[in-house]
Each structure stands twice: as C-alpha cells, then as structure tokens.
C-alpha cells in the first residue's frame, strides 16, 4: 500500500478525529504528505520519537495507541501478571499520550501505575524497580525542539528495553492494525477495576532517600552545603521540583532559580532547542550570574536526564563545559573521594560509551580502577550494572556519555540529572573549600593527563531521501575503508555492525564482544579517532572526533584540522 492510499484511509476512517482530518486536508505539499505516511514511525530499541502531527510517521494518539497495543500483547505473552509504570514530562501532549497508553494497557489487562503529574525520566526508571513492574513507559522527546515528542519503553530492570525485547515488541506492533485492533477503556473504569493506581509522594520520598545516599563526603556536605552559591534552570522541564528538593534536603539553601525558565512549558519560549549542550539556553542564567557571582551554574533538559554545567573562565567569560569534560571531572572527583574515604577498590569501575572521551581511561588508570566501553545508548550502561549486581564481579561507580548523561548508584538504570546535580554540587563544594573552581580543577586534569579535545559533526537529513543518504554514506565508507586521514595512518577500524576489529598495521582481525550496531570507529596512529553512526533519535548522521594535544591551543588546532580531513574523506 503506497503513502497516498494510507493517507486516504485516515481521511475516510470513522475512528480518526475530525480535527485530525482537517489538519490532513489542509496539507498542500505532496512531499509532506509522503513523509507523514510512507512508513510507520519507527519503533527502535528506545521506543518512538517524532514530530507531533497526524500521520503514521508522526507521533499522535493513534501511533501511541498502536505502539502500546503491541507492547501490551508482548507483556501479556511474557509475564504472568503484567504491569507497567508510566511517566511523562512537560512537552506538549505528554500527559495526553501518557493517558492514552494507560487506557490501552488497562484494556488489555495490564496493571498500570501512572504518575499523578510530570516527573523526570530517571524517576520512571526508579519506579519500575521500586514497585516491581514488568515494564515502564515515559513520554518525552528529551532535548528535541518543541515540535517533537516521544515514547520510551523500559524493562523490568528499570533500563530501556533490550534489543531482543524491542524486536519482540515490534513484531506485535507490526501485527496491530491501527483501526481494528486497539483496545481502550477510560481511566475511571480502569481505576474502578483495580487496573490503575496513581503514583505520588510515597515513591518520590523513596527515590530522594536513595539519591541522598550517594553523597560521598557526607561531613563536607552536612557542614558546608549552605556555603555553595548555585544558579539552576530547569529549562521549562520536569527537573524543577526534584532537583530543588534534593538540593534543599542536603542543605544547599543558597540556590537561585532562573524564574523565566522555572515552570513547565512545552513550547520552551526562552529555549527553542532545550538542550543543555546549547549555550543559548543559559543566556538568562549567565546574565543573573553577573550580579549573583555563583560558584556553580547548571541546567537540566525537559525530562531531566541530562545536565549542563557553566563555568567562569579566567577571561571572565562564561562557558558551557562539554559532556566529556563534566564526565572526566566527575570520574576524577568520585575516585578521589572514594580514595580519601578509604573505600576505593580495584573492583571499582567506570563505564562510558565508545564515542565518549578516552581521557576517562587515563583518569581511571591513574587510580588503578577499571573502565569499560559500551555502545552508544545508556541502556548498555544499565545492562552492565545489572551484570555487576548479578555476578559481583565489579563495583559500579559512575557511568557517563558525551551527550551530558551521568549516573551513579544502582537504583536507577538510565542517565539521571537529579543524581548528577547532587554529585556536581558536592564536587563544586569540595573544590571551593580547596580554593578553586571547576574550571581550575579541569585545567589541573588536562595538565596531568593531556589536553583531550572532542568535536561533533551532526548533519540533519530529513525524510525518506535523507534516511537513504545516511544508510548509503555509512555503507560506502564500510566498503572503502581509508588507510589514512589527514596524512595520519589508520591503525584500527572497529566495525560494530560486523563485530570486528581490524588492525591495519598488523593486518589482523579480532572479534568485538558487543551488540551489533551500524557504527564504525577509526583509531589513528596519533591516538586521534572518529566514529560515524546514524542518530537513534533524530534524522541525523553523527560523526564524533577526538584528539590529544600537548597544550590547549595544540588540541584546538589539531581537532580543527582533523574535522576538516574527516569532512573531506566523507565528502560533506
């Protein structure tokens, strides 16, 4: 069936709301109609993400209902007494989509625990484990622009569902007809039948107690937390209450909120791209800082799983630290704190993704602890935590990725900006008592381990043609592996789709023991590297680049030259 036939089915169906039909009839761009209906919105390992609009390739109550019907079938087939927690963030239609999912699950006999109001993604992960449900759903598009929303699915371990569970769920979704097969009951009926319970303060308190337990230098925080001057922005998202609650509980009473970004607002009026990686979201906070003179500035994204940190440089300018830099600071701080408290062991382990800075390896080595690499996606860090708990082989200290996600503790299995806020505040407080700030602490690490610098090339390729170009670009590179980049020889090629590591110098091949993924990493003789991969959540191809320099300027020059060479190689 072609896209136009599917489009007409939506217009003719009695199940489609008249307002939706009106939206579709007003479409005049044939390419837009094609893009909305040429395929179903893809259900990947993390669930759904797309623009909010009518169509099979968009997120709306119908595509959410279809996905949930498929998930319900999977849960009923896989669990004796299936159940699920549901949370949602501040995005437009998040509450509506959460209620739609609850109605479908309950109609299929799946017990639903629905948060009574918006909550961060990591609190959903916690609730799944705390309550003991079979699954979890959170409605969010993380840091995407206001036009987007999403639907993330979690397993019983509190982590995003594994590849096998995602594949099985997708089979059920594909079997589901959006017009004939979806069951649904109203929320009051579900509650009356004992199929719906609302989650509130009791679970929140349990989460807050666990987060408080992650403080390492407890005496330091207890005695001096009130001395730290903090500016915090929730960026119109779900972090406002939990982050401020945790800071207050721990004694951080000198906290200034960016009022213009305090309240939830799915239109993100002051931050069109509500991503803490984007310096513009901190413009108001920086203006406040000129008057307040804070020790620490940070902000969380709409679903409060990512956090960005601002530092004041010697020049007086304010700068957003990269996710890699914050991750390295936390790695060093937490290992140093554990050493100081006498609890550091050789079983302690840092976990990072393959696109995240190798500086973390240098820091881990300096403390004699282990570092493990996993594929991009925090669920893979969650899987390692589960393995550690099952086998007792390692002690999980910190997991992080370059895209501003951090986690400590085992009670949450996804990146958690509430936890990160608490750890970053403790770290900033410690350095303040040492007479320095985070900028100086980072500089000290560079001087000790080398000047690591990373860059990201992100190219948006919308629509059907864009997806085909992304696939073709990676396939062409795989078929024509370069022997050098910018005059520097390629030493290793790691192909995660083929699960093989090629040593170009020794002309040897070894296996990579990680799940398959359409990702290729090139490691050069001078320890620079780059990775190419399609985004799992956006219509983009991403190229990550990293170099090591002798000085800050040397690293800056090197990464600039390296990025130019990569672009030449890929003809972009």
């Amino acid at each position: 069936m072609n896209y136009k036939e599917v489009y007409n089915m939506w217009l003719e169906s009695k199940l489609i709301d008249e307002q939706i039909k009106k939206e579709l009839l007003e479409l005049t761009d044939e390419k837009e109609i094609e893009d909305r209906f040429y395929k179903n919105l893809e259900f990947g390992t993390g669930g759904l993400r797309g623009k909010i609009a009518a169509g099979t390739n968009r997120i709306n109550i119908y595509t959410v209902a279809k996905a949930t019907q498929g998930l319900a079938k999977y849960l009923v087939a896989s669990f004796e007494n299936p159940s699920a927690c549901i949370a949602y963030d501040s995005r437009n239609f998040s509450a509506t989509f959460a209620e739609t999912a609850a109605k479908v699950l309950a109609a299929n006999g799946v017990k639903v625990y629905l948060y009574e109001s918006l909550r961060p993604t990591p609190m959903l992960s916690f609730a799944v484990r705390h309550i003991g449900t079979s699954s979890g759903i959170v409605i969010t598009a993380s840091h995407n622009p206001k036009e987007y929303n999403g639907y993330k699915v979690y397993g019983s371990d509190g982590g995003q569902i594994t590849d096998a569970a995602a594949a099985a769920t997708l089979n059920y979704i594909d079997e589901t007809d959006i017009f004939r097969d979806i069951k649904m009951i109203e929320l009051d009926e579900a509650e009356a039948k004992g199929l719906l319970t609302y989650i509130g303060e009791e679970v929140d308190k349990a989460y807050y107690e666990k987060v408080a337990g992650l403080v390492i230098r407890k005496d330091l925080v207890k005695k001096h937390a009130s001395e730290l001057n903090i500016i915090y922005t929730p960026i119109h998202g779900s972090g406002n209450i939990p982050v401020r609650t945790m800071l207050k509980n721990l004694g951080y009473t000198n906290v200034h909120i960016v009022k213009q970004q305090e309240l939830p607002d799915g239109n993100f009026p002051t931050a069109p791209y509500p991503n803490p990686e984007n310096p513009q979201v901190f413009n108001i906070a920086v203006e406040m800082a000129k008057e307040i003179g804070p020790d620490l500035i940070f902000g969380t994204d709409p679903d409060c799983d990512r956090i960005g940190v601002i530092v004041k440089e010697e020049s007086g300018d304010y700068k957003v630290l990269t996710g890699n830099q914050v991750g390295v600071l936390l790695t060093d701080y937490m290992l140093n704190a554990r050493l100081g408290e006498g609890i550091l062991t050789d079983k302690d382990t840092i976990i990072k993704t393959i696109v995240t800075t190798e500086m973390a390896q240098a820091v881990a080595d300096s403390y004699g602890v282990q570092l493990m690499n996993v594929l991009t996606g925090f669920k893979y860090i969650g899987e390692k935590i589960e393995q550690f708990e099952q086998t007792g082989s390692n002690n999980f200290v910190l997991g992080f990725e370059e895209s501003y996600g951090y986690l400590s503790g085992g009670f949450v299995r996804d990146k958690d900006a509430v936890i990160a806020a608490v750890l970053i505040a403790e770290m900033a407080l410690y350095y303040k008592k040492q007479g320095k700030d985070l900028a100086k602490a980072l500089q000290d690490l560079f001087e000790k381990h080398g000047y690591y610098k990373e860059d990201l090339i992100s190219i948006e390729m919308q629509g059907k043609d864009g997806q085909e170009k992304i696939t073709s670009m990676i396939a062409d590179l795989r078929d024509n592996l370069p022997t050098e980049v910018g005059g520097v020889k390629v030493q290793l090629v790691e192909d995660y789709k083929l699960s093989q590591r090629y040593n170009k110098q020794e002309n040897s091949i070894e296996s990579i023991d990680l799940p398959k993924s359409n990702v290729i990493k090139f490691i050069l003789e001078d320890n620079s590297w780059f990775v190419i991969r399609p985004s799992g959540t956006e219509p983009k191809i991403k190229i990550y680049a990293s170099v090591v320099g002798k000085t800050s300027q040397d690293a800056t020059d090197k990464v600039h030259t390296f990025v130019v060479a990569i672009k030449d190689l890929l003809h972009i």
Side-chain angles (χ1 to χ4, degrees), residues 354-365:
I354 59 171
V355 300
T356 298
T357 181
E358 289 301 315
M359 190 174 176
Q361 181 72 64
V363 173
D365 288 345

Side-chain angles (χ1 to χ4, degrees), residues 180-209:
R180 294 194 309 265
D181 299 338
I182 295 169
K183 301 177 183 178
M184 195 177 294
I185 61 173
E186 292 304 311
L187 296 181
D188 55 356
E189 181 183 351
E191 193 172 8
K193 290 182 175 179
L195 288 166
L196 172 63
T197 297
Y198 288 96
I199 307 173
E201 190 175 313
E202 182 181 344
V203 176
D204 292 346
K205 285 183 176 179
Y207 170 77
Y208 293 147
E209 288 174 6

Side-chain angles (χ1 to χ4, degrees), residues 426-438:
E426 179 187 336
M427 177 170 65
L429 177 62
Y430 172 78
Y431 286 126
K432 180 176 182 176
K433 301 303 288 183
Q434 300 293 312
K436 58 185 178 181
D437 57 18
L438 294 182

